[in-house]
Structure formats: structure tokens, C-alpha cells
């Protein structure tokens, strides 16, 4: 079968790499893709939100499954677009319909969902420009740090954590009145700060049955010791050593099961990945956020550990037969390190030549922000390339990734040297 992946990052290169191992795959297309996907699939110069162009390509290339990488097209209703179109409605889309994608598209929607289904999460209230004064009063009742979240999609930048009450009030005003995150911050969720250690859970569901994929831990800050600005993610480890059976049972019973059941009860059609951002507070897991896709760079550590044929898994999602599949996981640890452009996550330059990655041995290289120009591979984003290695434990996996990263070069290249420091 011919498959189209939407997206252009490390997550999509990893999915392309995994799908291309399947004997069931015909031709693989990625829109728009990167230099890495170009090596194993055909890149199509189409934006992920250009549904009409996607339709044209799907018909032209006889594509019979679409796998959606990022949240944007899902929140914009790409799955619904396929279902409503006479020539596309039988083509399965891996990714939820718009109504369910609101779990990521609106923080308030996600909070209401969790409250309705008794899923543990931080206490919250939401505010608009009209209720700014109430927002100030709510902040005054909380103890610092203060957590302010833009309700809508803000490219991963919409969460502010502030220690000072005055600053929190000022930011609340900037978000609500001055449109700091545009329309995404027309509504702001303020929530109780949860102190603990974070981990991510990925669930693949066909709307009825589901599989819990390997756990992962992402390192979001640019600086060592989890300092500095937030990024898309600087590295990941899977599995998370502290996610033992006791914690996983709690996560399953209190969070995963009620989430999938809640989707059914609320009539939110879901065929795809659910990413549950968790924090372990004391001995108890609580939900920080839902995303309606795989995480990046968590995918680069999680997907290589899945031993099943990915086309078969997606086919089971499409047909609603996921329950009949037995998930096989590599029990080694995978460790991913992300190489980023100098200056990222603030302003950075693109178009720098990347060399040496062909010399990486015994590890996997996944491209993120890269492109090919005149036979050269150039940087084309903040997060440029990831290296994933396996090891008997996370330290061994990490040391192999760090050994190989030395071979890769581009001007301004930066990466975190302390992934896993907190484990
Ligand atoms: P998000 O963009 O929702 O992933 O949030 C970004 C980061 O903010 C999370 O990964 C957490 O580290 C942090 N965060 C979000 N909500 C809370 C909370 N209620 N308490 C503590 N940290 C939080
Ligand atoms: N690594 C975090 C995310 O994909 O949102």
C-alpha cells in the first residue's frame, strides 16, 4: 500500500524509517519532508495544512493511508476533510478528527475533559479579557510559581511559569489584552503548580482498543540542568527508569483507561496517537497536558523500540482491530540527543552545511530541520538532527549517542551534554 506522511521533522523521519521496513509498504511519500525523508521516500512540496493539494497528491499517487505527524492539520480538521470528501472518505487517516483534536487545540477543553472523567490534573480556572480582574484575584489566592497557559495552539510556547505575583499579573494582561500569543491567548488557563518529575506516555488507539507504547522522558530546556528557555525538545530517553510497575498500573487505571473511555463516552472519534504529558507528584501521576500526536524527540526514542510492523499496526487502527495485536517491545533503552542551530530557541541562522553524519556507526540518525540543495545537506530549522542509540541501560545508550555526535558538524551546532542527568 502507498502511504503519505504529513510533516517535516524528526518524528516524521522516524515514522518514515519504520514504515519503510514493512513488506506491506508500496511507495512512501512525505509532505513536505526533509533531507532525511528524501533518502527513503518521495518528498512532496506540499504544506501540511494545504488540504486541497494533499487531496490531489493522494489521488495522483494512489495513496491508501495518511499518517499525520503534527497537531496543526488535525486541529484544522484534516481527518474530517477526508471523511467528507467522496473520493477520499475510504482512505484511513491516522490522527483524530477535529472534535477530538481539541484535547490539544484548547487547554480549557482538555481540562473540562479531565474533570468530567475524574482524571487527576492540576486545579485551574480560565479567564478572558472580560474577566482579567478575576484572573488577578485568582492569582492572589495561589502560591508561586504561577502557571499561565494560552488556551489555543501556540507552537509549544504558550506556557509561562512565573515566580513573581506582579510578573504573573503583567503576563496575564499581556496574554489577554495585548494578544501575546495572538488569538491563542484570548483565553488563558491558570493552574496550580505541580512539583515532581515528568514523563510522557503514548497511546495508540483505534477508538475502542488501545496499546500503551513505551514511556519516554523529554528534555525541553535549552540549557544544562534544565535551565534556560523552552525548546521543542533537546533529547529523550525510553523507557523511563522510574516508571516501574506500580506507577504504570496507576497511570493505566487512573489515566489511560479513563481517557480512552472518556473519548468514547463523549463521542470524540479517535484513531491515532494520544500523547499524555504526566508529572509524578509524590507517588501519584497527574496529567499536565494532552497532545493528539506523537512527541518529538520522544518518537525518535520510542518508535525504534517497537518491534511490530508499523503498517500492520496502523492498518489495525484503521480497521478497529488493534485488540488482536500483541505489541512487541525491544527491552533495551534508547537514548536520543538533538543537535540544534546556534541561537535556538531564539533567532538562529539556516542554510549551514552539515557534514559527517554518514560516519555515524551503530546509532540511528534522524533528520529534523534539514534540506537538500545542490547535493548538499543544509540546516533548515532550529532542531536539525537527532542521534538515537540503544544500550542495556540509559547510560550505555547515551554514551553511544554522545560518541557518535562528535562525528557530526555544522557551524553553530549545539546540543545538551547532560541528557538523563536527573535519572
Ligand atoms: P506544555 O506546553 O503544556 O507541555 O507545558 C510546558 C511545560 O510546562 C511542561 O512540560 C511542564 O514542565 C510545565 N508545566 C505545565 N503545567 C504545569 C503545572 N501545572 N505544574 C508544573 N509545571 C507545569
Ligand atoms: N517533545 C514535546 C512535544 O513534542 O510536544
Amino acid at each position: 500500500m502507498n502511504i503519505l506522511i504529513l510533516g517535516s521533522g524528526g518524528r516524521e523521519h522516524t515514522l518514515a524509517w519504520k514504515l519503510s521496513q514493512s513488506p506491506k509498504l508500496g511507495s512512501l511519500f512525505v509532505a513536505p519532508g526533509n533531507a532525511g525523508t528524501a533518502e527513503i521516500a518521495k518528498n512532496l512540496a506540499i504544506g501540511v495544512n494545504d488540504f486541497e493539494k494533499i487531496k490531489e497528491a493522494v489521488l495522483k499517487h494512489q495513496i491508501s493511508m495518511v499518517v499525520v505527524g503534527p497537531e496543526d492539520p488535525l486541529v484544522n480538521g484534516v481527518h474530517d476533510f477526508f471523511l467528507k470528501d467522496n473520493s477520499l472518505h475510504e482512505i484511513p487517516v491516522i490522527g483524530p478528527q477535529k472534535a477530538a483534536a481539541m484535547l490539544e487545540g484548547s487547554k480549557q477543553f482538555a481540562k473540562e475533559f479531565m474533570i468530567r472523567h475524574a482524571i487527576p490534573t492540576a486545579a485551574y480556572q480560565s479567564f478572558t479579557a472580560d474577566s482579567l480582574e478575576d484572573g488577578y484575584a485568582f492569582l492572589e489566592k495561589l502560591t508561586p510559581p504561577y502557571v499561565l497557559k494560552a488556551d489555543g495552539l501556540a507552537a509549544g510556547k504558550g506556557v509561562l511559569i512565573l515566580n513573581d505575583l506582579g510578573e504573573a499579573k503583567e503576563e496575564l494582561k499581556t496574554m489577554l489584552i495585548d494578544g501575546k500569543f495572538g488569538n491563542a491567548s484570548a483565553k488563558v488557563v491558570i493552574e496550580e503548580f505541580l512539583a515532581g518529575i515528568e514523563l510522557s506516555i503514548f497511546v495508540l488507539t483505534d477508538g475502542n482498543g488501545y496499546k500503551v507504547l513505551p514511556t519516554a522522558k523529554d528534555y525541553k530546556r535549552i540549557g544544562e540542568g534544565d535551565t534556560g528557555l523552552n525548546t521543542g525538545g533537546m533529547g529523550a530517553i525510553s523507557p523511563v527508569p522510574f516508571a516501574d510497575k506500580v506507577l504504570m498500573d496507576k497511570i493505566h487505571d487512573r489515566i489511560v483507561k479513563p481517557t480512552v473511555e472518556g473519548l468514547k463516552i463523549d463521542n470524540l472519534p479517535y484513531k491515532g496517537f494520544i500523547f499524555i504529558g504526566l508529572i509524578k507528584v509524590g507517588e501519584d501521576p497527574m496529567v499536565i497536558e494532552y497532545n493528539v500526536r506523537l512527541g518529538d524527540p520522544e518518537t525518535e526514542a520510542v518508535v525504534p523500540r517497537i518491534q511490530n510492523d508499523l503498517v500492520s499496526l496502523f492498518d489495525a487502527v484503521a480497521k478497529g482491530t488493534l485488540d488482536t495485536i500483541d505489541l512487541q517491545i525491544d527491552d533495551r533503552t534508547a537514548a536520543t540527543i538533538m543537535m540544534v542551530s546556534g541561537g535556538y530557541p531564539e533567532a538562529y541562522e539556516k542554510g549551514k552545511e552539515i557534514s559527517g553524519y554518514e560516519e555515524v556507526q551503530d546509532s540511528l540518525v534522524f533528520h529534523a530541520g534539514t534540506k537538500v540543495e545542490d547535493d548538499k545537506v543544509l540546516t533548515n530549522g532550529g532542531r536539525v538532527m537527532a542521534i538515537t542509540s540503544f544500550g542495556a541501560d540509559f547510560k550505555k545508550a547515551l554514551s553511544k549517542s554522545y560518541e557518535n555526535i562528535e562525528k557530526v558538524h555544522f557551524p553553530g551546532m549545539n546540543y545538551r551534554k547532560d541528557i538523563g542527568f536527573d535519572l
Side-chain angles (χ1 to χ4, degrees):
M1 100 165 65
N2 296 346
I3 299 182
L4 168 66
I5 300 173
L6 298 183
S8 61
R11 166 182 52 212
E12 288 75 21
H13 186 197
T14 310
L15 289 170
W17 166 83
K18 180 71 179 158
L19 286 171
S20 64
Q21 292 163 19
S22 172
K24 295 183 175 173
L25 181 75
S27 298
L28 183 61
F29 298 86
V30 186
N34 59 33
T37 61
E39 289 173 7
I40 51 174
K42 173 137 186 45
N43 283 353
L44 304 173
I46 301 173
V48 296
N49 290 306
D50 194 343
F51 298 170
E52 288 298 336
K53 284 260 167 58
I54 292 169
K55 172 180 173 176
E56 253 172 57
V58 164
L59 297 175
K60 177 173 168 203
H61 299 293
Q62 295 176 311
I63 284 160
S64 45
M65 178 181 284
V66 177
V67 179
V68 187
E71 63 280 11
D72 237 45
L74 294 167
V75 173
N76 291 335
V78 70
H79 195 150
D80 311 63
F81 175 86
F82 271 66
L83 288 173
K84 280 186 206 125
D85 189 290
N86 278 336
S87 52
L88 300 178
H89 74 272
E90 282 179 355
I91 297 171
V93 175
I94 305 302
Q97 289 173 49
K98 186 176 178 143
M102 290 304 283
L103 278 184
E104 180 164 1
S106 164
K107 301 270 186 206
Q108 174 165 302
F109 180 91
K111 287 302 242 186
E112 286 170 352
F113 176 88
M114 287 184 262
I115 305 294
R116 193 157 58 241
H117 300 292
I119 295 165
T121 189
Y124 83 106
Q125 276 190 37
S126 58
F127 303 92
T128 60
D130 291 338
S131 52
L132 179 65
E133 292 297 328
D134 298 338
Y136 289 161
F138 185 63
L139 283 171
E140 279 164 15
K141 278 191 284 178
L142 295 173
T143 45
Y146 305 94
V147 184
L148 273 51
K149 301 186 172 186
D151 181 60
L153 291 185
K157 297 190 170 65
V159 176
L160 301 179
I161 299 181
L162 304 151
N163 285 312
D164 179 75
L165 179 62
E167 218 181 310
K169 287 181 173 175
E170 195 50 43
E171 286 291 357
L172 180 64
K173 180 162 159 280
T174 316
M175 287 168 95
L176 290 174
I177 311 287
D178 309 330
K180 179 170 179 135
F181 299 107
N183 202 32
S185 63
K187 192 184 278 171
V188 172
V189 165
I190 301 180
E191 65 180 39
E192 164 200 18
F193 180 83
L194 300 174
I197 188 159
E198 287 179 53
L199 76 155
S200 306
I201 296 285
F202 301 94
V203 179
L204 181 63
T205 181
D206 59 17
N208 196 31
Y210 61 91
K211 299 287 167 197
V212 180
L213 306 180
T215 56
K217 191 167 192 318
D218 171 25
Y219 291 81
K220 284 205 176 87
R221 303 293 195 93
I222 187 71
E224 260 119 59
D226 281 346
T227 54
L229 293 173
N230 253 325
T231 70
M234 298 293 290
I237 288 174
S238 173
V240 179
F242 63 82
D244 56 10
K245 178 152 184 352
V246 175
L247 183 65
M248 287 309 290
D249 284 349
K250 289 180 187 168
I251 291 172
H252 182 263
D253 297 346
R254 300 177 191 177
I255 294 167
V256 176
K257 203 156 168 276
T259 296
V260 178
E261 279 171 4
L263 290 168
K264 265 193 284 184
I265 294 167
D266 294 351
N267 270 318
L268 297 170
Y270 212 115
K271 283 180 184 291
F273 293 102
I274 314 172
F275 166 160
I276 312 178
L278 297 173
I279 190 158
K280 182 181 171 227
V281 182
E283 293 308 313
D284 295 316
M286 302 192 61
V287 178
I288 284 192
E289 62 165 348
Y290 286 110
N291 295 310
V292 296
R293 51 175 174 84
L294 284 171
D296 193 347
E298 293 96 321
T299 303
E300 290 90 307
V302 167
V303 167
R305 295 188 57 225
I306 300 174
Q307 292 170 325
N308 302 62
D309 179 284
L310 194 56
V311 176
S312 304
L313 269 182
F314 286 161
D315 202 38
V317 170
K319 296 196 172 98
T321 56
L322 204 50
D323 269 344
T324 65
I325 290 193
D326 191 20
L327 201 60
Q328 304 288 331
I329 302 299
D330 190 326
D331 43 355
R332 291 173 302 167
T333 291
T336 302
I337 315 290
M338 187 62 79
M339 292 164 258
V340 304
S341 297
Y344 174 79
E346 295 185 274
Y348 58 86
E349 287 178 49
K350 298 184 193 177
K352 308 285 181 201
E353 187 171 356
I354 309 166
S355 63
Y357 71 90
E358 307 87 344
E359 283 152 44
V360 168
Q361 271 173 0
D362 222 16
S363 296
L364 300 164
V365 173
F366 296 118
H367 292 232
T370 67
K371 65 171 178 185
V372 191
E373 222 173 79
D374 302 329
D375 286 336
K376 287 184 184 146
V377 175
L378 306 179
T379 67
N380 192 37
R383 293 190 295 170
V384 172
M385 208 176 253
I387 290 195
T388 296
S389 311
F390 283 106
D393 56 41
F394 76 88
K395 287 188 179 140
K396 293 198 179 83
L398 278 167
S399 68
K400 203 185 284 176
S401 284
Y402 280 123
E403 198 180 298
N404 269 314
I405 217 166
E406 299 280 331
K407 299 173 186 162
V408 187
H409 302 281
F410 58 86
M413 175 175 138
N414 181 27
Y415 61 90
R416 260 180 73 168
K417 286 136 198 105
D418 71 335
I419 300 301
F421 78 99
D422 55 343
L423 296 174

